[in-house]
Amino acid sequence: MSRLWGTTALVATLMMATVPMASAQEGTTTPQQITIAAGDLRVALDQLADQFGLQLIVQGDLSGMSSGDVSATLDARDALQLLLTGTGYQFEFITDDSVRIAPVSSGALENGGTTVLPEVVVSATRSRRSIKSMSPSVVVIGRDQIETQMAKSSDITNVIRNTVPGFMFDDQSLISSTETFRGRDVQVLVDGVSRNTPLRNTSRILSMIDIAQVENIEVIPGSNALNGDGATGATINIITKTGEVGNNSFVVDGHVTSYTDDIDDSFSPSLTLSGSGGVGAVDLAASVTASKSGDAFDGYGNQVPSDAMLGQGGFDNAEDLNLFGKAGLTVAEGHRLFLSSEVVRFRQDIEYYPDLTTDPVSVDYDNPYLAQPLEDESQYFTGGYEYDFGKIGTGDLKLFYNDSYKQAARADYHASYNPALVALANSGAVEDPLGQSVIDTVKYGVKLSTDTSLDPVYDGLTLTWGGDLTHDDIKYRTISGRDIGAPMEQDGKAVFAQLSAPVTQFVDLSGGVRYEKYDLTVKDFLRPNYMRYNAGVGQAILAAAQYTGGNTTYSAVTYNASAVVHWTDRIDTSLSYSEGFSVPDVGAYTRRAGFNGVPMNFSALDVEASKVKTYELAARYNGPDFRTTGAVYMSTNERGDTFDASTNALSQQKERIIGAELTGEYDVTEDTYVGALASYVEGRYDSNKNGDLDSWLPNNRIPSPFRFTGYVDSYVWGDLNMRFDGTYTAPRTKIDNKKVKSSLVFNLMGNYPVLGGTARFGVENIFDASYENPAASALRGYSVAGHGRTVTIGFRREF
């Protein structure tokens, strides 16, 4: 299969090369002609900073805030004042060329000031809806928040976990199987296009997305079907950067990370070059990130196994290259063509196998890894047309093509956790040296979304409508090309309609329906023979057998409805009902054909889409110096998709999950605020399918029932921003003899303006605590150590 490597690399490189460099800077006190078009406030501030040679330090989140036209001769102070008037933000010159942008203090508000709340818009709902009209549990993580947390980690999973309650502790590996939200699956979108491959879960999604290309992150908790299958726990939409004509910039961002237990062997550098801007009707954005990592260590100073979870791999001893490019052409007012591409190349060269007999799992230095490396070679293309057809509506038509090749590491034989290995075709007692698994997927399709105003019917009434056509092609093979799961193809068709309207100034109502139909073809294949080792000697345990495929059609009709009540300017509540669905991991069924009674004929499998219903009550208070949100929820389904690692089996059964989430922030002073995130989740299911919820969900669904994160963020010595946080995860003891231990980890990070840029430092696990990673330990059922203390030092400069 063509990897399209050279073409896409050239496209991204040319995009970066065509981004104009900023012009020479002038003094901040000398008046200059300022010409800034109305639009995004952060973009306007960046353009102004670029013109005067300023370094901006933003405290707070400017996502979604707008500025008006500016065309005048002004110095830097007057221009900043003009842009920030009415926004609720103020500026302060810390040095001659460093400016802090921060919310107006509560004292200023009490003396007559007013704050205009940012109009944050969420697009993951297939429309552009104000976040104020949605449940208070919906979160948008802006670029300012992302850059602040990048001082500590460049992992998107880490940023989301530290910002949104309900997202489980990450397992510090490449796999996303434990990235559950409210005990259920997460659908990951990039610019509204799904990265999930539900017919055979590739398990590497968020970990392969370069944070340098991200503008903001939308998180919608709860089940949701507006973007198709997969969002039974939450929808996460990654919005990538878009160039802005007249705001040309080039950014150099580099950092190094090391574990303090062995700085030399763990030394890990990373460098990002990015640019954005535009000329005339063309807007451009591009980035290139290259990184290399060394060994990883736990809190005791012991090296962490590179593949502690049997084939899933990790971030250590790896090389990573990510190329991103986006170009747009405005052909007329309200009409824009666009094309974006992303290329991922990841390789992990594992040195030793893990020793699963120790507690926790350790490196087996007597068992060197001699198999093929773990690799990821993926590319994603999205093109489309944004339009404004007046009364017909505004919206976009997207065409996408996703091609991913994800090669697992070889997992060594273990009688309990990996009891069967692929054998040679002509010798059932000899392991196939190229038996590592590869998930090779191609997904392409079309997405149409349109917002049509129905003001003549009712003032503010909007109809959002559209549809999707998708095609999935899944191949599940060994490196040598032998099928280990059935090749599958699936065609999907969907239509949806959503109505939303304000009912007076106090209530926003929304509701809709989506119909989805899938035609699935599961092809015949020869399931390979399997072997095991007995006292080091190979034995045949399962002969090759013909698997009979088949065809099936299944569909899902899903509904949603919500009411948001604005009691005052500061207090909102919401009551919502939503449905989402997921399809079972059919590829996992076919790989296990013949094991533990799993049938060898697809027609014997009772596979259906699992519809999840979520009921949520949420509230929000946004005061001058205190902000808080809270939510309680229950999600139910009649046919779950539970995989139990202890029995190596998949099942569909009745489930119920309940939970609660709480966030809060308090401004102690103008320069310091404290905050916390807390979440509780627990669930049961019908293990024997008699209608009663008789068993607790397994640990791989709910590794910990309670998580709490507390933090303090402060500016010290004027312009040094520091953040200290700690996360506690409670133990889970619901499953007999499978206790997941508690953990407590503290972190520190800081940002400091210097040399026209920002110096960063971060310390994860600052006290070098030894703990068990709850998510990783829950996945396989044995103890996996969490990572020890790491120190990150970096520098970012925008030109």
Side-chain angles (χ1 to χ4, degrees):
M1 176 181 17
S2 172
R3 298 290 109 201
L4 304 175
W5 163 253
T7 302
T8 309
L10 179 60
V11 169
T13 303
L14 288 176
M15 284 183 177
M16 288 191 61
T18 56
V19 175
M21 295 289 288
S23 59
Q25 311 301 323
E26 299 184 26
T28 61
T29 59
T30 303
Q32 299 184 39
Q33 175 61 38
I34 309 298
T35 303
I36 299 176
D40 185 86
L41 175 61
R42 182 57 197 264
V43 171
L45 288 169
D46 287 341
Q47 184 176 343
L48 186 68
D50 183 54
Q51 184 165 344
F52 283 99
L54 299 175
Q55 172 67 29
L56 296 183
I57 306 166
V58 179
Q59 181 179 2
D61 188 8
L62 302 180
S63 298
M65 301 189 74
S66 299
S67 67
D69 285 306
V70 177
S71 181
T73 301
L74 303 167
D75 64 18
R77 292 179 181 273
D78 290 340
L80 284 167
Q81 184 64 49
L82 185 60
L83 285 177
L84 294 175
T85 297
T87 65
Y89 279 76
Q90 60 187 358
F91 70 91
E92 176 188 2
F93 272 83
I94 300 170
T95 65
D96 289 341
D97 60 357
S98 296
V99 180
R100 181 171 63 187
I101 308 294
V104 177
S105 66
S106 57
L109 292 176
E110 291 167 0
N111 292 326
T114 59
T115 298
V116 179
L117 294 177
E119 184 70 6
V120 180
V121 176
V122 178
S123 61
T125 58
R126 302 296 291 266
S127 63
R128 292 182 59 80
R129 290 182 59 191
S130 167
I131 196 172
K132 286 282 290 180
S133 68
M134 304 177 69
S135 167
S137 63
V138 175
V139 176
V140 176
I141 307 172
R143 184 63 197 178
D144 297 317
Q145 295 171 286
I146 293 171
E147 288 187 359
T148 297
Q149 296 201 43
M150 283 175 63
K152 180 184 66 173
S153 172
S154 57
D155 183 3
I156 290 180
T157 304
N158 202 297
V159 172
I160 299 173
R161 177 175 59 84
N162 287 331
T163 310
V164 185
F167 196 51
M168 182 41 58
F169 195 98
D170 64 278
D171 58 24
Q172 299 172 328
S173 78
L174 302 178
I175 191 173
S176 60
S177 296
T178 58
E179 290 172 358
T180 59
F181 203 109
R182 295 182 172 181
R184 298 191 183 275
D185 293 335
V186 176
Q187 182 186 44
V188 178
L189 313 173
V190 176
D191 293 329
V193 175
S194 177
R195 290 284 174 93
N196 296 62
T197 55
L199 289 177
R200 187 62 188 107
N201 187 3
T202 56
S203 297
R204 302 180 208 153
I205 304 177
L206 288 173
S207 61
M208 292 289 105
I209 298 175
D210 180 18
I211 201 169
Q213 71 192 42
V214 179
E215 182 62 32
N216 56 62
I217 304 171
E218 303 170 349
V219 182
I220 303 179
S223 52
N224 188 304
L226 285 174
N227 290 284
D229 61 283
T232 55
T235 301
I236 297 176
N237 189 25
I238 310 293
I239 306 296
T240 61
K241 294 180 178 180
T242 299
E244 183 82 10
V245 175
N247 183 32
N248 303 315
S249 67
F250 181 77
V251 177
V252 178
D253 194 341
H255 68 263
V256 295
T257 300
S258 287
Y259 290 79
T260 56
D261 288 301
D262 193 327
I263 294 176
D264 290 339
D265 288 344
S266 65
F267 186 76
S268 305
S270 177
L271 177 64
T272 296
L273 304 177
S274 63
S276 65
V279 179
V282 178
D283 57 86
L284 301 165
S287 66
V288 177
T289 297
S291 61
K292 184 179 178 64
S293 60
D295 295 333
F297 297 85
D298 63 20
Y300 284 127
N302 299 316
Q303 185 178 345
V304 174
S306 296
D307 185 30
M309 290 180 287
L310 298 177
Q312 304 304 330
F315 293 105
D316 62 293
N317 295 294
E319 296 179 351
D320 188 13
L321 177 66
N322 186 291
L323 302 177
F324 163 77
K326 180 189 286 188
L329 172 65
T330 300
V331 295
E333 185 176 355
H335 298 268
R336 175 176 175 267
L337 302 173
F338 62 90
L339 173 66
S340 67
S341 65
E342 180 186 355
V343 172
V344 176
R345 292 293 182 268
F346 181 91
R347 174 186 173 117
Q348 184 188 27
D349 290 301
I350 299 171
E351 296 180 307
Y352 301 97
Y353 286 104
D355 184 351
L356 305 183
T357 65
T358 61
D359 185 9
V361 176
S362 60
V363 177
D364 188 352
Y365 294 103
D366 295 325
N367 191 7
Y369 183 90
L370 302 177
Q372 297 297 309
L374 179 147
E375 292 185 342
D376 194 302
E377 298 184 2
S378 303
Q379 43 271 324
Y380 308 93
F381 299 90
T382 301
Y385 171 44
E386 297 172 350
Y387 52 81
D388 182 350
F389 288 120
K391 292 183 179 181
I392 296 176
T394 61
D396 58 61
L397 176 69
K398 295 176 181 174
L399 294 84
F400 65 90
Y401 180 88
N402 298 345
D403 182 0
S404 64
Y405 177 94
K406 298 181 183 293
Q407 178 174 302
R410 179 191 178 273
D412 205 9
Y413 175 81
H414 190 279
S416 298
Y417 302 109
N418 194 34
L421 302 174
V422 177
L424 288 173
N426 57 0
S427 181
V430 179
E431 180 185 354
D432 185 347
L434 297 177
Q436 292 165 236
S437 64
V438 172
I439 301 176
D440 195 346
T441 69
V442 171
K443 184 184 184 83
Y444 56 84
V446 180
K447 294 169 67 80
L448 173 67
S449 304
T450 304
D451 287 328
T452 300
S453 173
L454 300 179
D455 283 342
V457 178
Y458 183 87
D459 189 26
L461 180 64
T462 300
L463 171 66
T464 302
W465 56 274
D468 302 335
L469 295 174
T470 59
H471 177 81
D472 290 87
D473 188 337
I474 310 292
K475 295 180 177 63
Y476 189 25
R477 297 174 170 173
T478 64
I479 295 177
S480 59
R482 299 167 62 193
D483 289 326
I484 54 178
M488 295 174 287
E489 292 188 10
Q490 179 171 270
D491 292 303
K493 308 174 184 67
V495 292
F496 72 92
Q498 189 86 9
L499 283 171
S500 58
V503 180
T504 75
Q505 61 179 322
F506 300 106
V507 179
D508 284 299
L509 298 180
S510 177
V513 60
R514 178 182 173 105
Y515 171 73
E516 195 117 13
K517 179 183 177 182
Y518 289 107
D519 295 307
L520 172 64
T521 299
V522 179
K523 301 179 181 180
D524 299 344
F525 82 106
L526 181 66
R527 196 224 57 221
N529 45 355
Y530 285 85
M531 55 83 64
R532 69 174 182 181
Y533 288 104
N534 186 4
V537 178
Q539 295 180 341
I541 58 172
L542 196 66
Q546 186 67 41
Y547 182 89
T548 303
N551 300 282
T552 188
T553 297
Y554 54 97
S555 60
V557 180
T558 53
Y559 303 90
N560 68 85
S562 69
V564 180
V565 181
H566 311 290
W567 299 97
T568 70
D569 290 340
R570 302 192 182 281
I571 301 175
D572 305 302
T573 60
S574 73
L575 179 63
S576 61
Y577 169 80
S578 60
E579 296 179 348
F581 70 97
S582 65
V583 299
D585 193 334
V586 180
Y589 275 103
T590 60
R591 178 175 188 176
R592 294 174 177 83
F595 288 89
N596 300 324
V598 178
M600 293 293 297
N601 191 320
F602 175 73
S603 62
L605 291 176
D606 183 18
V607 177
E608 293 185 11
S610 173
K611 182 186 291 186
V612 175
K613 304 175 181 179
T614 300
Y615 309 82
E616 182 194 80
L617 176 64
R620 169 174 48 216
Y621 172 76
N622 198 333
D625 52 15
F626 177 66
R627 302 161 295 279
T628 184
T629 63
V632 293
Y633 62 88
M634 177 177 70
S635 63
T636 64
N637 54 298
E638 296 300 319
R639 300 178 66 85
D641 294 322
T642 296
F643 171 68
D644 191 337
S646 63
T647 61
N648 199 35
L650 286 148
S651 61
Q652 291 194 289
Q653 68 291 303
K654 183 178 180 181
E655 299 176 345
R656 181 180 67 205
I657 295 176
I658 60 173
E661 297 163 359
L662 183 67
T663 72
E665 280 189 348
Y666 175 68
D667 298 329
V668 180
T669 68
E670 182 179 337
D671 298 322
T672 302
Y673 64 93
V674 296
L677 312 171
S679 63
Y680 168 81
V681 59
E682 194 53 270
R684 294 178 68 82
Y685 75 107
D686 178 12
S687 62
N688 54 16
K689 300 185 179 181
N690 66 354
D692 296 328
L693 299 171
D694 51 40
S695 300
W696 297 102
L697 284 172
N699 290 335
N700 64 330
R701 288 283 299 279
I702 303 178
S704 171
F706 178 73
R707 180 171 71 87
F708 177 85
T709 297
Y711 55 90
V712 56
D713 191 297
S714 181
Y715 278 86
V716 297
W717 303 318
D719 50 3
L720 172 60
N721 176 235
M722 297 187 67
R723 180 185 175 104
F724 179 77
D725 66 62
T727 296
Y728 168 76
T729 59
R732 190 165 193 250
T733 59
K734 298 296 186 182
I735 310 301
D736 292 340
N737 302 319
K738 295 184 183 298
K739 176 182 178 181
V740 179
K741 300 175 183 177
S742 62
S743 66
L744 178 62
V745 180
F746 294 96
N747 311 290
L748 178 69
M749 56 187 170
N751 293 273
Y752 183 74
V754 63
L755 300 177
T758 301
R760 297 168 169 166
F761 70 90
V763 184
E764 288 195 272
N765 193 1
I766 189 171
F767 299 118
D768 208 15
S770 175
Y771 67 98
E772 179 181 88
N773 184 298
S777 299
L779 181 64
R780 298 298 189 193
Y782 49 73
S783 178
V784 178
H787 289 196
R789 180 171 53 230
T790 64
V791 176
T792 299
I793 299 174
F795 181 75
R796 180 183 187 275
R797 175 72 189 270
E798 181 174 348
F799 300 91

